[in-house]
């Protein structure tokens, strides 16, 4: 069994994976709310990772709502393995969190991720530890549209289109994909070089905003069984009509319990429900909303 959790952090993204191997992965962070909320989130990360001896932080891209609170996170739970795309992104206003991001990005703790890269224990096992089941689907660093997006970010512009795309999956378990904050026009431009797999659970880019709506031609290949729409003002969201969706504006924290051939799903909102899941009567966590066959 492994646990994937999408934390409700307001206008931003933060996830963790408690692997069924000796790995623990954090993807992005946005813990810039009240002190109590910041403490609650990091307390949970520390507790859930306590049984693992290898912890990594993956940054999809250097935007404030994806690295917010990283200085606080690092102060309580030191980041020793920092995964990010190779970049020299700059900001007109450098917050303490951005300075910490740059410090980690430019340190010996950093590992630069790109399409198809290999890394011991990320996607390679040895006699010491089994792999985490994480693959990097993008960026293709030779793609000209990506190079152009990288130049924009390095010159202080939007870093959305230098987002890494990440797949998590183990044999006989769910395939889960994150695509960062890439924008619709960019996805159209790179579609010929973008090879996304069929996916059980897909986290919509840019928190589900219309600006990051995944083109239908890509969705027809990915065939997601569930699209998770993140937190943003409703007026900016695309609700992916015709697809099964979970919306974090109302669902809150969403926990995915991944077991052989099934994903059991829980919401922190006891009143949240969907009508497309199978009832397997699970109770590992509170507020079970149903199960997805994979």
């Amino acid at each position: 069994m492994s646990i994937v959790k999408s934390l409700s952090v307001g206008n931003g993204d933060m996830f963790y994976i408690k692997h069924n191997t000796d790995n623990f992965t954090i993807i992005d962070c946005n813990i810039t709310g009240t002190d109590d909320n910041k403490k609650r989130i990091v307390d949970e990360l520390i507790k859930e990772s306590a049984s693992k001896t290898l912890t990594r932080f993956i940054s999809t891209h250097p935007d404030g709502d994806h690295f917010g609170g990283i200085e606080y996170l690092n102060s309580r739970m030191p980041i020793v393995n920092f995964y990010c795309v190779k970049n020299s992104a700059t900001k007109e206003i450098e917050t303490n969190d951005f300075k910490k991001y740059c410090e980690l990005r430019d340190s010996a703790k950093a590992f630069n991720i790109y399409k198809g890269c290999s890394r011991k224990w990320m996607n390679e096992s040895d006699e010491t530890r089994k792999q985490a089941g994480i693959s990097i689907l993008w960026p293709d660093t030779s793609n000209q549209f990506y190079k152009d997006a990288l130049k924009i970010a390095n010159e202080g512009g939007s870093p959305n289109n230098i987002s890494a795309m990440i797949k998590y999956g183990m044999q006989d378990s769910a395939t889960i994909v994150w695509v960062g904050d890439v924008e619709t026009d960019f996805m159209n431009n790179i579609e010929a070089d973008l090879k996304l797999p069929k996916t059980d659970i897909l986290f919509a880019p840019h928190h589900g905003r219309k600006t990051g709506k995944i083109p239908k031609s890509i969705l027809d290949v990915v065939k997601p069984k569930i699209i998770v729409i993140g937190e943003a003002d409703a007026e900016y969201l695309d609700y992916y009509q015709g697809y099964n969706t979970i919306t974090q504006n109302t669902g809150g924290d969403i926990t995915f319990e991944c077991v052989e051939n099934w994903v059991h799903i829980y919401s922190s909102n006891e009143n949240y429900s969907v009508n497309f899941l199978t009832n397997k009567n699970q109770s590992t966590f509170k507020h079970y909303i149903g199960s997805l066959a994979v």
Side-chain angles (χ1 to χ4, degrees), residues 138-152 161-162 185-193:
W138 189 265
D140 178 343
T141 56
S142 67
N143 179 277
Q144 187 59 51
F145 293 106
Y146 177 74
K147 290 180 180 179
D148 293 344
L150 193 62
K151 184 173 186 290
I152 290 170
N161 290 328
I162 67 168
D185 289 346
F186 182 76
M187 284 184 277
N188 282 320
N189 288 335
I190 67 170
E191 186 173 354
D193 289 340

Side-chain angles (χ1 to χ4, degrees), residues 31-286:
I31 44 177
T32 56
T34 65
D35 288 344
D36 285 347
N37 192 51
K38 287 162 52 175
K39 183 178 185 303
R40 175 188 65 83
I41 290 172
V42 178
D43 283 351
E44 179 174 346
L45 294 173
I46 291 171
K47 176 184 175 183
E48 295 301 322
S49 64
S51 63
K52 309 297 184 181
T53 58
L54 190 147
T55 299
R56 65 179 62 79
F57 183 101
I58 303 179
S59 169
T60 58
H61 65 294
D63 209 356
D65 56 354
H66 290 254
F67 63 66
I70 197 169
E71 183 180 40
Y72 173 75
L73 174 64
N74 186 70
S75 71
R76 294 198 52 211
M77 188 181 180
I79 296 170
V80 295
N81 297 289
F82 186 77
Y83 293 23
C84 64
V85 300
K86 187 175 182 180
N87 72 90
S88 301
T90 59
K91 305 281 186 186
E92 184 176 348
I93 298 174
E94 294 191 347
T95 64
N96 288 338
D97 285 327
F98 180 65
K99 290 176 182 177
K100 177 55 67 174
Y101 169 89
C102 293
E103 178 187 319
L104 291 163
R105 176 194 69 187
D106 300 333
S107 74
K109 299 175 181 179
F111 173 71
N112 293 140
I113 53 177
Y114 54 88
K115 181 180 178 180
C117 66
S118 297
R119 177 78 165 174
K120 188 177 287 186
W121 308 320
M122 180 181 80
N123 49 27
E124 293 182 346
S125 302
D126 66 5
E127 64 281 358
T128 303
R129 181 182 291 108
K130 291 183 179 180
Q131 60 154 307
I134 292 174
S135 302
I136 307 302
L137 307 174
W138 189 265
D140 178 343
T141 56
S142 67
N143 179 277
Q144 187 59 51
F145 293 106
Y146 177 74
K147 290 180 180 179
D148 293 344
L150 193 62
K151 184 173 186 290
I152 290 170
N154 291 349
E155 293 175 350
S158 171
N160 285 346
N161 290 328
I162 67 168
S163 292
M165 302 188 191
I166 302 160
K167 182 187 83 170
Y168 169 64
M170 301 293 281
Q171 186 174 1
D172 299 322
S173 189
T175 296
I176 302 176
V177 170
W178 293 262
V179 287
D181 275 3
V182 287
E183 297 167 3
T184 303
D185 289 346
F186 182 76
M187 284 184 277
N188 282 320
N189 288 335
I190 67 170
E191 186 173 354
D193 289 340
L194 184 62
K195 306 300 180 186
L196 297 182
K198 288 183 68 174
T199 301
D200 296 303
I201 298 165
L202 174 66
F203 290 97
H206 214 190
H207 324 290
R209 286 186 175 90
K210 296 170 185 176
T211 51
K213 173 68 181 292
I214 302 173
K216 186 177 184 302
S217 54
I218 294 177
L219 289 172
D220 286 345
V221 173
V222 174
K223 300 184 186 301
K225 294 179 181 177
I226 297 176
I227 298 176
V228 181
I229 298 170
E231 293 177 284
D233 292 342
E235 63 186 296
Y236 300 121
L237 293 178
D238 188 293
Y239 287 96
Y240 288 88
Q241 295 296 322
Y243 292 88
N244 295 326
T245 60
I246 291 175
T247 54
Q248 287 205 256
N249 274 351
T250 49
D253 292 341
I254 307 295
T255 302
F256 302 90
E257 181 185 14
C258 303
V259 299
E260 186 175 357
N261 300 321
W262 288 94
V263 180
H264 308 310
I265 305 175
Y266 306 81
S267 165
S268 63
N269 179 357
E270 62 183 355
N271 297 314
Y272 184 72
S273 65
V274 295
N275 61 8
F276 55 82
L277 297 173
T278 301
N279 183 6
K280 300 288 284 185
N281 296 308
Q282 298 298 301
S283 59
T284 305
F285 304 98
K286 293 181 179 178

